[in-house]
Amino acid sequence: TDTRSRSVAKKPTDRTMFSKSLILALSLAGATAYTKKDREDAIKWITEEKGFPHLAAFDKMTPKMLKTVMTNYLNLVSPDALEFLTPLDLEVIWTATSAANNCEICLSFHAGALLGAEKPADEVATMAAGGVPKDPKMARLVIAAKYVLAHKGILLEREKLHLSSMGFSAEELVEVTFAVGQMTGLNLLYVHLIAEGVNIETFLKGAGPFKDTVYADELKKAEL
């Protein structure tokens, strides 16, 4: 019995093996310097290959971080990334999330994406201001996102019942929670970059929450 017990005790568990693998990976992942060409290649990848505009915020990320951040984003908006939520559904959720988190860059970008998808300007403006649109398909997504944000992923029983009345299943709410969490992380990143002095492009200002106030004169001049 003692021999068998010692044998069992010495047998590595999956958790132990994972921990050792993680420690090894961390020990090998040292900080490395990047070159000017690395940055140029990363910007070229996101602008020329992936078709994104060159945002000033990109220049504040290391080349590897930029590629990781944008690869994750592109994976999420691919047509078959999720079971329930479409890329357009994600834009609605991300607009609502960015409005709640007051991230101007993300809010402007995703509100602009909805405008580009021909969603009514007044509905997009309502979401950008933190409201709920009249369109029932968008409204259900915005309400679900707000509930997820309110308690940091926890849904109260009455909230789940209310969302169920809108057709949400438990599995779809898991996807909504994931989408809200992903955007909240990006909101933290871009708000930090704004606080560090990153400029916001004019085309983003035109779709954002301050277009009719803070940027009114600038946008008017840009039209001339």
Side-chain angles (χ1 to χ4, degrees), residues 34 39 57-63 65-66 69 189-190 193:
Y34 60 86
R39 179 172 292 285
F58 293 164
D59 296 327
K60 291 294 185 180
M61 303 181 205
T62 63
M65 178 182 175
L66 174 60
V69 168
L189 168 62
Y190 284 101
L193 294 179

Side-chain angles (χ1 to χ4, degrees), residues 85-106:
L85 301 177
T86 67
L88 190 57
D89 291 337
L90 289 174
E91 295 297 344
V92 173
I93 291 170
W94 290 343
T95 297
T97 301
S98 298
N101 290 327
N102 203 25
C103 177
E104 183 182 354
I105 291 178
C106 295

Side-chain angles (χ1 to χ4, degrees), residues 27 54 76 85 138 142 148 160 182 184 196 199 218:
S27 66
H54 184 172
L76 278 173
L85 301 177
M138 292 196 294
V142 170
V148 168
K160 287 189 282 187
Q182 292 292 300
T184 295
E196 293 299 306
N199 291 322
E218 178 186 343

Side-chain angles (χ1 to χ4, degrees), residues 40-222:
E40 291 172 347
D41 287 346
I43 295 297
K44 185 176 180 180
W45 169 78
I46 194 58
T47 56
E48 296 182 18
E49 185 177 333
K50 300 303 179 182
F52 275 78
H54 184 172
L55 301 183
F58 293 164
D59 296 327
K60 291 294 185 180
M61 303 181 205
T62 63
K64 286 184 178 180
M65 178 182 175
L66 174 60
K67 294 193 77 171
T68 297
V69 168
M70 297 310 294
T71 296
N72 289 345
Y73 171 78
L74 290 168
N75 285 340
L76 278 173
V77 295
S78 62
D80 295 322
L82 298 171
E83 189 70 34
F84 293 93
L85 301 177
T86 67
L88 190 57
D89 291 337
L90 289 174
E91 295 297 344
V92 173
I93 291 170
W94 290 343
T95 297
T97 301
S98 298
N101 290 327
N102 203 25
C103 177
E104 183 182 354
I105 291 178
C106 295
L107 175 54
S108 300
F109 186 88
H110 297 294
L114 290 177
L115 291 171
E118 299 185 350
K119 293 299 180 182
D122 60 334
E123 293 276 68
V124 176
T126 294
M127 286 185 278
V132 178
K134 296 178 182 177
D135 179 84
K137 290 184 179 179
M138 292 196 294
R140 69 189 290 272
L141 295 170
V142 170
I143 292 170
K146 287 178 176 292
Y147 283 4
V148 168
L149 278 167
H151 311 298
K152 296 180 175 61
I154 297 172
L155 294 174
L156 303 179
E157 285 303 317
R158 64 182 66 88
E159 292 171 340
K160 287 189 282 187
L161 287 172
H162 185 61
L163 292 170
S164 177
S165 73
M166 298 179 183
F168 281 103
S169 65
E171 288 183 327
E172 186 177 6
L173 288 174
V174 170
E175 291 194 355
V176 172
T177 302
F178 173 69
V180 169
Q182 292 292 300
M183 185 49 50
T184 295
L186 290 172
N187 292 160
L188 291 174
L189 168 62
Y190 284 101
V191 168
H192 171 76
L193 294 179
I194 292 172
E196 293 299 306
V198 163
N199 291 322
I200 298 175
E201 287 73 16
T202 301
F203 82 92
L204 289 176
K205 294 176 179 178
F210 309 130
K211 64 181 184 299
D212 297 322
T213 54
V214 179
Y215 304 134
D217 291 341
E218 178 186 343
L219 293 173
K220 187 175 182 180
K221 291 176 182 178

